[in-house]
Amino acid sequence: MMACVFCADAAHAAGHIVVYPAEQHTETKLLELMPATGAPFGRQDYGALLFPTHFFCENHVRLGAELTPQQLSDTVIVDIAGTAPSPADVRRARSLQTLMNEIRGHWLVELLDHGRFYSVGQPIVDRSGNPFAHEMLMRGMDVHGNAVLPGRMLEAAATTSLRARLDQAARLAAIRTGARIPADGAIFINFLPSSVYDTRFSLKDTFAAVRDAGFDPKRIVFEVVETDKITDFEYLRALIDQFRGEGFAIALDDFGTGFNNIEAVIRLRPEYIKLDKLLVMDAVEDAMKSQFVLETVSIAQLNGIKTIAEGIEDQRTLDHIRKLGADYFQGYHLGRPAPIGQKDT
């Protein structure tokens, strides 16, 4: 059997894991799954269970199926080198759920460690059909050279630190790739607000990369994604102020998918709103969607905010949304994501 990448990591290869089960059922299930490894593994005198790290690598799918999310979250684990945790070890305690997420996402850590990560661009056009900008979209590459799409990477990035690292890697790749776009085009770069809660992945590296690439800051628009999950608007406003202090513009993605992003517009006053494809697609036949688009565009224009309609999949939709007043348009009908300098297919 191929060695587990997580267990082969230098931080885990020689280690053990101490488990403090939240309840008897969890302890029983763990002991049922444990192979007959003998001492020093199993129940310990200090009231915990001791396992080899590879036990969790080999059984994480079954554990995820047989233990509830609450049991996984309430069970505490500690990585150790010996057979009993030291005070320093205990300070690194985390939940069994976090460990499961780390194991599932370790292929993504390896992908990032080896630099198998890049950006493609999808065009955004103006009302006359002329190129206005490109949205930079992340892609990974597996060991066989096949593309790894964003959804799979985001799903694997289940821990806060890995999600932050992925988002930072995406921003830096977008800047490197965007530097190859002609100087009259804008660059939209996605940004997860939650990613910079981890101080290891601050915005300083992003800002430095922009300067090193020789970008005019006025060309760059940072696109805030997952606006429907924002809970701390004061923190986000402070981040937005940092972007604007560097001369960048702000866009809000997926507008129209929840009440929270209406509040985001009011609080953050972005330069751009991207109308979610849920509103745009089928709007030709849906009077309510059309009315919502029309009123959103009207309110935005009154407040100096430009609108970008996503999900333009055919000429009929483009013509209809253009009549409703949107400023810019994006979708497969206008161009698929493609490497910069290469025509989309």
Side-chain angles (χ1 to χ4, degrees):
M1 182 169 56
M2 184 178 293
C4 170
V5 176
F6 182 84
C7 294
D9 189 293
H12 303 101
H16 304 146
I17 291 180
V18 173
V19 180
Y20 297 88
E23 55 186 54
Q24 185 62 45
H25 173 269
T26 306
E27 177 174 331
T28 300
K29 183 57 62 178
L30 288 168
L31 291 174
E32 284 178 0
L33 291 174
M34 175 179 272
T37 51
F41 303 110
R43 189 175 288 105
Q44 303 296 300
D45 293 339
Y46 50 84
L49 304 178
L50 182 66
F51 294 87
T53 299
H54 66 78
F55 165 80
F56 293 96
C57 298
E58 295 164 0
N59 292 281
H60 69 90
V61 173
R62 187 170 174 184
L63 285 171
E66 298 194 17
L67 297 177
T68 68
Q70 191 67 49
Q71 289 167 335
L72 291 170
S73 296
D74 291 346
T75 297
V76 175
I77 67 98
V78 183
D79 294 293
I80 63 173
T83 58
S86 68
D89 292 330
V90 172
R91 285 194 290 271
R92 298 195 304 272
R94 59 203 189 279
S95 72
L96 181 55
Q97 180 68 73
T98 298
L99 176 65
M100 297 293 97
N101 290 339
E102 290 170 356
I103 293 170
R104 292 171 188 140
H106 209 71
W107 66 267
L108 178 58
V109 174
E110 185 191 31
L111 182 153
L112 294 171
D113 284 346
H114 288 83
R116 299 197 307 270
F117 195 85
Y118 62 102
S119 283
V120 295
Q122 183 174 27
I124 301 171
V125 305
D126 65 17
R127 292 180 58 81
S128 298
N130 299 316
F132 163 67
H134 282 81
E135 179 183 356
M136 309 310 297
L137 300 167
M138 66 179 178
R139 295 289 187 271
M141 187 182 298
D142 66 20
V143 293
H144 304 293
N146 301 312
V148 181
L149 297 180
R152 186 180 170 207
M153 290 188 284
L154 288 168
E155 183 179 7
T159 63
T160 301
S161 61
L162 184 52
R163 201 168 181 83
R165 184 180 176 190
L166 176 63
D167 188 53
Q168 184 191 53
R171 293 197 303 271
L172 297 179
I175 293 165
R176 290 193 301 269
T177 304
R180 301 201 295 268
I181 294 175
D184 56 349
I187 309 297
F188 280 66
I189 299 174
N190 289 318
F191 166 64
L192 280 170
S194 60
S195 68
V196 292
Y197 279 105
D198 191 323
T199 56
R200 292 174 295 171
F201 304 102
S202 70
L203 296 175
K204 292 181 181 179
D205 289 342
T206 301
F207 297 158
V210 171
R211 290 190 290 270
D212 291 345
F215 263 120
D216 178 354
K218 293 180 181 178
R219 289 182 59 203
I220 296 182
V221 182
F222 279 96
E223 185 172 327
V224 181
V225 300
E226 296 193 343
T227 54
D228 206 41
K229 298 179 181 178
I230 296 170
T231 57
D232 189 346
F233 278 101
E234 293 304 317
Y235 179 77
L236 180 55
R237 183 56 191 255
L239 293 177
I240 297 304
D241 288 344
Q242 289 186 54
F243 283 119
R244 288 198 169 118
E246 296 286 329
F248 309 128
I250 299 297
L252 292 186
D253 193 27
D254 299 333
F255 185 82
T257 57
F259 290 107
N260 208 36
N261 53 29
I262 295 175
E263 183 179 2
V265 172
I266 294 171
R267 285 177 173 258
L268 303 177
R269 307 299 169 103
E271 285 76 16
Y272 300 90
I273 293 173
K274 299 191 77 173
L275 301 174
D276 188 76
K277 61 184 179 181
L278 175 69
L279 291 175
V280 173
M281 296 175 69
D282 304 320
V284 176
E285 290 85 18
D286 193 318
M288 181 177 289
K289 287 185 178 182
S290 295
Q291 186 66 26
F292 192 96
V293 170
L294 177 63
E295 293 186 4
T296 300
V297 168
S298 298
I299 293 171
Q301 289 175 343
L302 287 172
N303 289 277
I305 299 172
K306 299 294 186 180
T307 52
I308 302 170
E310 298 182 295
I312 303 295
E313 306 297 308
D314 53 58
Q315 186 65 39
R316 190 169 173 232
T317 301
L318 174 62
D319 293 340
H320 180 68
I321 300 298
R322 184 162 46 200
K323 287 179 183 178
L324 296 177
D327 298 292
Y328 302 105
F329 311 89
Q330 181 179 1
Y332 282 4
H333 178 63
L334 303 168
R336 291 174 178 267
I340 296 300
Q342 175 180 317
K343 291 184 178 180
D344 58 291
T345 56

